Amino acid sequence: MNTRRKGAQKEEQVCAYLLARGVKIVERNFRGRQGEIDIIGYDGEYLVFFEVKYRAGHSKGSAAEAVGFAKQKRICQVADYYRMLHHCAEDTPLRFDVVAVDADKVNWIKNAYDYIMRA
């Protein structure tokens, strides 16, 4: 199975996982000029931007380690674009989560990193 198809399969698995835990998914694979956000949804009152990472093994490190500072910054920029397009209130509580899938183990890391403002 190619990498893109495997990634899509894991995103489906993560969506089912999040839905079962009460997350209301409002958007998938949202694209802006700066990049893409895998899943956007509400966990209670929080508007959450989810990055999904998958690793079959640990030869390249864990899935969670793959979301470095540059990726976090791009996600924050795309989140700003999403919020502008959807007229989200400035006081809407936000969260940036990572859902790491190592082999078949799902690890939902809530509030994985803080919002990074544009310089």
Side-chain angles (χ1 to χ4, degrees), residues 8-71:
Q9 182 185 50
K10 291 302 174 181
E11 272 190 32
E12 285 294 328
Q13 176 187 354
V14 167
C15 282
Y17 175 91
L18 293 172
L19 288 168
R21 283 152 183 80
V23 173
K24 179 183 175 204
I25 295 172
V26 295
E27 190 99 31
R28 292 184 58 188
N29 302 310
F30 177 79
R31 294 183 193 284
R33 276 187 310 172
Q34 300 86 355
E36 177 187 12
I37 297 175
D38 295 326
I39 302 168
I40 301 171
Y42 283 92
D43 184 24
E45 66 179 325
Y46 284 90
L47 176 59
V48 184
F49 300 93
F50 295 93
E51 176 66 12
V52 177
K53 283 295 178 188
Y54 167 71
R55 292 288 184 266
H58 287 287
S59 64
K60 296 180 181 177
S62 74
E65 293 171 337
V67 186
F69 181 79
K71 180 72 171 175

Side-chain angles (χ1 to χ4, degrees), residues 78-90:
V78 178
D80 286 343
Y81 178 60
Y82 176 88
R83 292 169 50 217
M84 182 205 61
L85 276 181
H86 294 275
H87 308 288
C88 295
E90 286 291 319

Side-chain angles (χ1 to χ4, degrees), residues 50-119:
F50 295 93
E51 176 66 12
V52 177
K53 283 295 178 188
Y54 167 71
R55 292 288 184 266
H58 287 287
S59 64
K60 296 180 181 177
S62 74
E65 293 171 337
V67 186
F69 181 79
K71 180 72 171 175
Q72 293 171 15
K73 187 174 179 179
R74 280 194 305 277
I75 291 169
C76 290
Q77 290 172 344
V78 178
D80 286 343
Y81 178 60
Y82 176 88
R83 292 169 50 217
M84 182 205 61
L85 276 181
H86 294 275
H87 308 288
C88 295
E90 286 291 319
D91 61 349
T92 301
L94 304 177
R95 206 171 67 213
F96 296 89
D97 293 2
V98 172
V99 183
V101 182
D102 288 294
D104 284 324
K105 183 178 180 258
V106 178
N107 182 21
W108 179 8
I109 305 164
K110 294 183 180 183
N111 209 21
Y113 55 93
D114 294 325
Y115 173 77
I116 301 165
M117 292 184 67
R118 292 180 195 210

